[in-house]
């Protein structure tokens, strides 16, 4: 298969900084769309992957799964996009299309789903490479339409931070009578607040940081509870129907279970791995409370969210950076020093 060499940024080992790399993009197949990447968001998962936090990274890795760009080429069977269209690509670029999950618009739970980076590209027989690059070639069924009225840099994080919080809000039927809490005010957390607020819910932020209170309120939170303050935690005992927990590292879930109402659910989206300390089952049994997990969202659901954002004028609060600043951005993200998502202006890769 013919390929084109394009500029990218990635890393070659867990210890290494990200640096300029060259990668191959496939020629468009009859069902492919080639996209010139304009903006790419910086997700904490990019950092986990670059540092091999999940023990599954194959190097070199080119992260980036919050992609917004312009169509530059289409295959002969592409009927849903034309050259010049503004489009987006999120965390998925392929799946089996025949399993029950695929048939039910839950491609993210397909056993053969292909991640935008770190997946297996059946065409090139190599790892997939993500959006920290000049271009990407993606099957038309995994390309999304971008609302025309929104800021392009601000849309990019909708593709992961947005859909990862939207999917559980929708699955657990959040609406105007719901009491929702969000743990952690970062990329996912700030989108969770905006989206839950737009769905009409009463929204609470749990944060470790007293200096995020005003920001949280301007994003749509009705109240902020400092999670390290026992009295404040006690004041919201039994309060919430749904909690979206976005914290990226191991932490104690037990104090949050106490803040769930009867039948309430704590949805873990941030941390992958064994819990420490263990969950105490007593309050779960005594109140029919659940702890659940949730992974990104399917293609149809992501398009639903993009359309919702267009209708309600919702974008992410972003700090736009050049690709050359990516290593500093990772260091700042580790310190929770970002308001509230870095987005790379991909023009900078041409420098
Ligand atoms: P982020 O921007 O770094 O935000 C994480 C927030 O969690 C921080 O702002 C901080 O908020 C809080 N936090 C950080 N370290 C903490 C600690 N040790 N203890 C308690 N709170 C802490 O990260 P993100 O991009 O939102 O991603 C969050 C996590 O979701 C990552 O692990 C990422 O890999 C994962 N993720 C999962 C999915 C999925 O499909 N399930 C999709 C995308 C991302 P405060 O300062 O307010 O406490
Ligand atoms: Zn992500
Ligand atoms: Zn499937």
């Amino acid at each position: 298969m013919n390929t084109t060499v394009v500029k990218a940024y990635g890393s070659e080992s867990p210890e290494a900084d990200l640096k300029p790399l060259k990668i191959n993009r496939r020629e468009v197949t009859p069902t492919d769309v080639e996209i010139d990447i304009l903006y790419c968001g910086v997700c904490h998962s990019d950092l986990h992957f670059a540092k091999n936090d999940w023990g599954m990274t194959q190097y070199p890795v080119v992260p980036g799964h919050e992609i917004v760009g312009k169509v530059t080429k289409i295959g002969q069977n592409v009927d849903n996009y034309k050259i010049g269209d503004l489009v987006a690509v999120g965390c998925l670029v392929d799946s089996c299309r025949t399993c029950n999950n695929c048939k039910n618009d839950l491609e993210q739970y397909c056993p053969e789903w292909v991640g935008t980076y770190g997946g297996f590209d059946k065409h090139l027989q190599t790892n997939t490479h993500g959006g920290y690059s000049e271009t990407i070639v993606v099957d038309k069924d995994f390309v999304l339409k971008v609302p025309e009225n929104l800021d392009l840099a601000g849309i990019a994080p909708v593709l992961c931070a947005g859909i990862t919080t939207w999917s559980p809000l929708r699955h657990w039927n959040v609406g105007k009578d719901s009491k929702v809490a969000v743990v952690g005010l970062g990329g996912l957390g700030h989108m969770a607040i905006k989206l839950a607020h737009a769905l009409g819910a009463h929204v609470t932020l749990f944060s470790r940081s007293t200096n995020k209170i005003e920001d949280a309120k301007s994003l749509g939170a009705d109240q902020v509870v400092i999670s390290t303050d026992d009295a404040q935690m006690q004041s919201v005992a039994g309060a919430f129907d749904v909690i979206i927990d976005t914290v990226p590292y191991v932490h104690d879930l037990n104090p949050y279970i106490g803040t769930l109402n009867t039948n309430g659910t704590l949805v873990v989206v941030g941390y992958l791995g064994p819990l420490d300390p263990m969950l105490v089952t007593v309050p779960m049994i005594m109140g029919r409370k659940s702890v659940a997990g949730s992974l990104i969202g399917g293609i149809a659901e992501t398009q639903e969210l993009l359309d919702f954002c267009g209708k309600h004028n919702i974008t992410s609060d972003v700090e736009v950076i050049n690709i050359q600043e990516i290593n500093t951005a990772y260091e700042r993200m580790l310190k929770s020093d970002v308001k509230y998502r870095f987005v790379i202006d991909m023009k900078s890769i041409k420098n």
Side-chain angles (χ1 to χ4, degrees):
M1 167 172 259
N2 286 338
T3 57
T4 310
V5 176
V6 304
K7 288 183 182 175
Y9 248 72
S11 79
E12 287 179 325
S13 78
E15 298 79 30
D17 276 352
L18 274 71
K19 61 170 197 184
L21 299 172
K22 295 273 168 64
I23 56 168
N24 291 315
R25 291 299 190 196
R26 64 178 185 263
E27 258 308 309
V28 293
T29 69
T31 58
D32 276 338
V33 175
E34 183 190 77
I35 301 160
D36 185 23
I37 300 175
L38 299 173
Y39 292 98
C40 185
V42 179
C43 179
H44 207 109
S45 302
D46 299 352
L47 189 159
H48 286 309
F49 225 82
K51 304 290 173 209
N52 197 22
D53 286 351
W54 296 328
M56 58 165 100
T57 308
Q58 290 183 7
Y59 293 92
V61 58
V62 174
H65 56 205
E66 295 182 338
I67 299 168
V68 173
K70 225 170 212 181
V71 175
T72 46
K73 210 183 271 183
I74 54 171
Q76 70 212 37
N77 297 341
V78 174
D79 45 12
N80 49 348
Y81 295 103
K82 57 182 190 319
I83 291 170
D85 281 354
L86 276 175
V87 291
V89 178
C91 308
L92 292 163
V93 289
D94 208 351
S95 69
C96 86
R97 324 229 183 163
T98 54
C99 73
N100 279 338
N101 285 324
C102 285
K103 284 186 195 152
N104 289 314
D105 292 326
L106 295 169
E107 300 87 358
Q108 74 274 33
Y109 302 119
C110 169
E112 293 174 34
W113 74 279
V114 181
T116 304
Y117 59 82
F120 182 71
D121 183 334
K122 66 184 180 212
H123 302 278
L124 296 180
Q125 302 279 307
T126 59
N127 286 338
T128 52
H129 292 306
Y132 299 3
S133 58
E134 289 179 288
T135 66
I136 190 164
V137 177
V138 179
D139 185 278
K140 68 184 176 70
D141 295 338
F142 289 79
V143 176
L144 296 141
K145 292 185 176 54
V146 169
E148 300 277 337
N149 56 319
L150 300 179
D151 170 60
L152 289 185
I155 296 174
V158 171
L159 278 303
C160 177
I163 186 61
T164 301
T165 52
W166 177 255
S167 187
L169 291 172
R170 297 284 285 152
H171 181 74
W172 275 277
N173 296 316
V174 165
K176 68 176 168 42
D177 298 322
S178 310
K179 294 221 158 164
V180 172
V182 175
V183 190
L185 185 53
L188 268 58
H190 94 290
M191 288 308 295
I193 291 176
K194 287 188 184 209
L195 296 172
H197 175 74
L199 286 167
H202 181 278
V203 186
T204 299
L205 171 72
F206 285 116
S207 177
R208 304 162 301 171
S209 322
T210 45
N211 59 7
K212 293 185 181 174
I213 294 173
E214 287 317 310
D215 282 4
K217 291 193 172 158
S218 67
L219 291 164
D222 297 281
Q223 64 172 343
V224 178
V225 172
I226 302 303
S227 52
T228 49
D229 181 325
D230 289 344
Q232 288 196 32
M233 292 297 282
Q234 203 47 49
S235 73
V236 287
F240 304 115
D241 304 310
V242 177
I243 302 176
I244 310 282
D245 182 338
T246 75
V247 173
Y249 297 99
V250 67
H251 58 291
D252 189 0
L253 297 191
N254 293 296
Y256 298 106
I257 308 287
T259 71
L260 285 172
N261 194 356
T262 307
N263 293 325
T265 305
L266 184 155
V267 188
V268 179
V269 293
Y271 168 68
L272 265 88
L275 292 173
D276 185 18
M278 289 185 208
L279 276 178
V280 179
T281 60
V282 180
M284 294 164 66
I285 289 172
M286 303 308 282
R288 198 160 62 185
K289 299 174 185 181
S290 309
V291 174
S294 186
L295 177 68
I296 49 174
I299 295 299
E301 198 172 38
T302 309
Q303 189 63 60
E304 172 194 72
L305 172 60
L306 284 164
D307 298 344
F308 181 88
C309 289
K311 192 166 162 211
H312 295 265
N313 228 337
I314 296 172
T315 51
S316 179
D317 288 21
V318 300
E319 288 190 43
V320 177
I321 58 166
N322 289 333
I323 187 75
Q324 292 79 7
E325 299 168 271
I326 188 68
N327 293 302
T328 315
Y330 278 12
E331 281 166 27
R332 284 186 50 199
M333 188 158 58
L334 275 173
K335 293 187 221 143
S336 301
D337 172 25
V338 47
K339 292 189 171 186
Y340 277 92
R341 195 61 142 187
F342 290 114
V343 171
I344 310 162
D345 180 346
M346 292 309 307
K347 273 199 311 292
S348 57
I349 205 167
K350 307 204 189 281
N351 295 342

